[in-house]
Amino acid sequence: MDRTELADFLRRRREQLTPADVGIAPGVRRRTPGLRRDEVALLAGMSTDYYTRLEQSRGPRPSVQVLAALARALRFSSDERDHLYHLVGHPAPGRDHPDKHVGPGLLHLLAKLDDTPATVITDLGEVLVQNRMHTLLVGDHANRRGLDRFYAWRWFNDPQAREIFPVEDWDRLGRKHVADLRATAARRSGDADVTGFIAEIRAASPEFEALWNEHEVAVRVSDAKRIIHPEVGVVDTICEVLVTPNSAQHLLVYLPRPGTDAAEKLDLLRVIGTQRLAAADVTPS
């Protein structure tokens, strides 16, 4: 691990970013260009002290999970992400299979959708990153680990995953999960990641197994989703799916269904989220 080069690389890339680049408010006047260390730490989901030590060439060797979070927070390109891994002494993720690194362009688009719930997932349904509105609407996936990060796994193995949807929609949504996975499994035939995931979910869920055996296939492009929020009620949305050129990552955008009150409820949800942030910034005396 080259601590000196790592520290220099992180610092210089941090100084090249602006708050607008990562979708955060600029706040008070800044004495130096770029993001602050605490802002990078927040975006990467780590403590400011840990990130500061990395920039001061005295931190521990980061894990691949930490490097992935840093690459995403600092909006690294794939080449920059690979360089980061090499500086730490980890092999860079291969590019001959679907990548979980969300590129800067997709992250910038996600940040620009500040009034619209949106998230980036893999073609297997693993949640990679959410914008603030998506977190407010369906909950925070950042701390989920392992198979719990996958939509289909939670749908068929965690009863709480369905509670935010009306019961009458469950069968249709479950079939959508399975049909989309069928299409992915065919497109990535022989891929160990896909066959392993499908085998685990088939073994764990008799419901999934039954639906899988029906062999329904449908690539998810657009879907109607009614989401039950505890504070604003049922939000009637249209989920549009935008796919990267290699189909490895999907940007899900939740738009208010025309003719419903979904737009007003999403506006209210944004206000509620802003009030929560403001309350969290108040330090008790």
Side-chain angles (χ1 to χ4, degrees), residues 149-254:
R149 294 185 61 82
F150 292 77
Y151 275 133
W153 174 266
R154 292 191 63 238
W155 181 266
F156 290 101
N157 291 283
D158 181 359
Q160 290 185 341
R162 305 187 182 197
E163 291 179 354
I164 65 171
F165 301 98
V167 175
E168 56 268 29
D169 293 350
W170 288 4
D171 180 67
R172 177 179 60 82
L173 293 174
R175 288 178 177 276
K176 288 275 190 179
H177 281 302
V178 178
D180 188 66
L181 280 174
R182 265 288 185 187
T184 299
R187 181 175 56 81
R188 294 173 58 186
S189 178
D191 188 309
D193 288 342
V194 179
T195 56
F197 178 70
I198 297 299
E200 288 199 70
I201 196 170
R202 291 180 71 180
S205 170
E207 180 187 2
F208 181 91
E209 173 70 6
L211 291 174
W212 184 261
N213 288 333
E214 292 186 20
H215 212 123
E216 294 181 2
V217 182
V219 177
R220 188 180 306 172
V221 177
S222 181
D223 196 7
K225 289 188 177 180
R226 295 186 295 162
I227 299 168
I228 305 170
H229 191 275
E231 293 175 276
V232 301
V234 177
V235 183
D236 203 339
T237 71
I238 298 174
C239 179
E240 293 291 339
V241 182
L242 308 178
V243 183
T244 55
N246 64 355
S247 299
Q249 295 179 359
H250 300 171
L251 172 64
L252 276 54
V253 182
Y254 294 76

Side-chain angles (χ1 to χ4, degrees), residues 2-12 53-58 87:
D2 192 331
R3 284 183 169 80
T4 301
E5 286 293 306
L6 173 65
D8 184 69
F9 185 50
L10 292 175
R11 178 177 57 80
R12 291 184 182 278
R53 283 185 286 146
L54 291 178
E55 277 204 11
Q56 293 177 344
S57 305
R58 58 186 182 89
L87 289 176

Side-chain angles (χ1 to χ4, degrees), residues 9-228:
F9 185 50
L10 292 175
R11 178 177 57 80
R12 291 184 182 278
R13 289 300 174 272
R14 173 176 62 81
E15 291 175 348
Q16 291 174 2
L17 288 174
T18 67
D21 291 331
V22 297
I24 60 177
V28 297
R29 185 173 181 179
R30 294 165 183 259
R31 292 176 295 178
T32 57
L35 296 179
R36 295 192 295 264
R37 286 172 175 167
D38 63 308
E39 291 170 333
V40 174
L42 179 63
L43 291 168
M46 62 185 63
S47 71
T48 302
D49 177 68
Y50 180 90
Y51 178 75
T52 299
R53 283 185 286 146
L54 291 178
E55 277 204 11
Q56 293 177 344
S57 305
R58 58 186 182 89
R61 186 187 188 212
S63 66
V64 293
Q65 291 81 7
V66 168
L67 294 181
L70 284 171
R72 186 165 55 245
L74 291 168
R75 303 302 194 258
F76 282 175
S77 66
S78 294
D79 290 338
E80 290 170 330
R81 185 275 316 269
D82 290 354
H83 182 62
L84 177 67
Y85 276 67
H86 294 151
L87 289 176
V88 176
H90 288 301
R95 301 196 193 184
D96 56 346
H97 57 80
D99 195 355
K100 295 183 182 180
H101 174 63
V102 183
L106 204 52
L107 288 172
H108 182 68
L109 178 58
L110 198 67
K112 286 296 183 182
L113 295 169
D114 61 342
D115 62 347
T116 304
T119 182
V120 178
I121 66 174
T122 67
D123 58 355
L124 289 178
E126 180 182 2
V127 178
L128 300 178
V129 62
Q130 303 168 270
N131 70 358
R132 174 172 165 270
M133 280 297 294
H134 187 264
T135 300
L136 291 172
L137 181 62
V138 304
D140 191 353
H141 289 254
N143 293 322
R144 298 191 184 280
R145 295 290 180 268
L147 291 172
D148 281 343
R149 294 185 61 82
F150 292 77
Y151 275 133
W153 174 266
R154 292 191 63 238
W155 181 266
F156 290 101
N157 291 283
D158 181 359
Q160 290 185 341
R162 305 187 182 197
E163 291 179 354
I164 65 171
F165 301 98
V167 175
E168 56 268 29
D169 293 350
W170 288 4
D171 180 67
R172 177 179 60 82
L173 293 174
R175 288 178 177 276
K176 288 275 190 179
H177 281 302
V178 178
D180 188 66
L181 280 174
R182 265 288 185 187
T184 299
R187 181 175 56 81
R188 294 173 58 186
S189 178
D191 188 309
D193 288 342
V194 179
T195 56
F197 178 70
I198 297 299
E200 288 199 70
I201 196 170
R202 291 180 71 180
S205 170
E207 180 187 2
F208 181 91
E209 173 70 6
L211 291 174
W212 184 261
N213 288 333
E214 292 186 20
H215 212 123
E216 294 181 2
V217 182
V219 177
R220 188 180 306 172
V221 177
S222 181
D223 196 7
K225 289 188 177 180
R226 295 186 295 162
I227 299 168
I228 305 170

